[in-house]
Amino acid sequence: MSRDRKPARDDSVPAEEWRTEGMGEASPLELLRVALPELTGAKLRVAEVILRNPSVAGRSSITWLADEARTSAATITRLSTALGFDGFPQMRAAFAREHGRDLQAGWEKDIGSAITPDDTPTKVLSTLAANQFSAARNAMASVDLEAMAQLADRIVSAGRVQIFGEWGDAPPAKELYLRLFRIGVPVWFDEGAYFAQVGASLLGQGDVALVVSRSGESAIAMKFVEVARGHGALTALITGDPQSLLAGTVDVPLHTGTGTGNSWTDYFAGRSSDSLVGALLWALVAQRMPDRIYDRLSRSGGDGPPTRSQDLFNDTMQ
């Protein structure tokens, strides 16, 4: 036997001892992978079927597995005992338990532990609402209101405002863009490397370049800031990480109070704080230009009926 191949089982060692000897808390799938090099024929086919889809093997009958592997139930029983189980039912239960642990680990890595697959809709709603409330409270405690007011002043006086955000940062960035555009701010939204660089190059003295970046580690955003600053624009950042590279580069870093996190529930909370800070900035800008807003909205073209475009402006839901 080759030196680099491990035996499926040492017959001098009882099955239960072989199953755990040198393996610590080895999983049933790991036991099967270790044994695989020494398996042949029908046993090898059974092992390959299991390893190909362990979740199915963990909930299927011995008859199904035998059909898939083109063998008999007795062969599967012998493989089970060779791996240290009392029989196929015990081995199948071990596969099912391991699959359940893997599902839980995958869920927590992606979604987080605040919500579980078994939670009721009421529990999910209350958890998300609590996260949103916590994010808002964090933003209230963290945002630099003086810096926000100064940025609002600069936006009002700017001849051009460029807002950059991409991927998960795009929704709050684009919402801020739409709100500013609606009240008459000369604003543009950039997404992607090409548009970001061209948009930043159109800025000049007195203009504003604003980035929304939860992590503050976007290479494209960094280039956007670099080009904008080179053209004399004020640079600002809405971020969840005040210690990020971008936060240390821009003129006005605005911390939302909620970090990046490692799961979707963390992401949701962060996006809530981003949207709140963006809404605050928009409201501060609107406060500084009420006459411009009302003058623009009141231009109806004389004493005649309002134009269709004016109807749109009069609709506060637009």
Side-chain angles (χ1 to χ4, degrees):
M1 181 172 59
S2 172
R3 285 181 177 272
D4 59 353
R5 299 177 71 193
K6 298 180 180 180
R9 173 179 173 183
D10 182 349
D11 290 334
S12 66
V13 180
E16 186 62 28
E17 292 182 22
W18 175 84
R19 186 168 68 91
T20 58
E21 182 183 42
M23 298 298 294
E25 295 296 326
S27 71
L29 289 178
E30 183 60 24
L31 291 171
L32 194 57
R33 292 189 185 100
V34 170
L36 195 63
E38 296 303 318
L39 296 178
T40 60
K43 286 184 180 179
L44 178 60
R45 292 198 300 273
V46 172
E48 289 173 341
V49 170
I50 294 173
L51 291 173
R52 186 164 59 243
N53 202 334
S55 63
V56 174
R59 63 176 183 268
S60 299
S61 67
I62 193 171
T63 303
W64 177 89
L65 185 55
D67 288 343
E68 287 292 305
R70 305 187 310 279
T71 188
S72 65
T75 299
I76 298 173
T77 299
R78 287 194 293 271
L79 176 62
S80 302
T81 55
L83 292 175
F85 298 100
D86 293 335
F88 174 72
Q90 289 76 19
M91 182 175 72
R92 179 179 59 187
F95 287 138
R97 286 193 299 272
E98 180 169 13
H99 180 62
R101 288 193 296 268
D102 289 344
L103 282 177
Q104 181 66 21
W107 173 276
E108 291 188 0
K109 183 177 180 180
D110 188 2
I111 307 300
S113 58
I115 298 173
T116 73
D118 300 323
D119 284 345
T120 64
T122 300
K123 175 65 165 55
V124 173
L125 176 60
S126 64
T127 298
L128 293 178
N131 282 5
Q132 197 166 36
F133 175 76
S134 177
R137 186 172 54 190
N138 290 341
M140 291 177 65
S142 302
V143 70
D144 186 337
L145 294 177
E146 183 177 349
M148 289 283 288
Q150 292 173 356
L151 179 58
D153 288 335
R154 293 295 297 269
I155 289 175
V156 170
S157 63
R160 187 181 187 96
V161 177
Q162 297 286 151
I163 298 179
F164 172 80
E166 62 177 353
W167 298 102
D169 297 311
K174 195 161 191 177
E175 181 178 2
L176 177 57
Y177 151 73
L178 291 171
R179 293 299 176 189
L180 290 173
F181 183 81
R182 183 184 179 276
I183 62 175
V185 172
V187 61
W188 285 260
F189 173 73
D190 298 317
E191 185 176 13
Y194 176 78
F195 287 98
Q197 189 160 348
V198 171
S201 70
L202 296 174
L203 296 168
Q205 292 289 337
D207 291 340
V208 175
L210 173 62
V211 172
V212 179
S213 176
R214 171 121 301 274
S215 67
E217 298 296 337
S218 167
I220 299 176
M222 184 65 73
K223 185 64 176 179
F224 174 79
V225 168
E226 177 187 330
V227 174
R229 173 170 288 165
H231 283 75
L234 178 80
T235 58
L237 170 70
I238 295 175
T239 184
D241 186 357
Q243 305 302 319
S244 67
L245 189 60
L246 265 173
T249 303
V250 299
D251 300 308
V252 185
L254 299 171
H255 182 212
T256 65
T258 302
T260 53
N262 298 310
S263 66
W264 180 84
T265 45
D266 295 331
Y267 167 90
F268 174 79
R271 284 294 162 259
S272 298
S273 63
D274 291 345
S275 296
L276 176 59
V277 171
L280 172 61
L281 179 59
W282 171 79
L284 293 178
V285 171
Q287 284 182 326
R288 284 157 171 75
M289 50 187 298
D291 292 339
R292 284 169 53 183
I293 294 172
Y294 297 137
D295 286 348
R296 178 173 55 80
L297 299 187
S298 64
R299 291 172 188 161
S300 60
D303 297 329
T307 64
R308 183 173 181 274
S309 60
Q310 185 185 355
D311 288 340
L312 292 175
F313 283 126
N314 291 335
D315 182 358
T316 59
M317 295 302 292
Q318 291 294 327

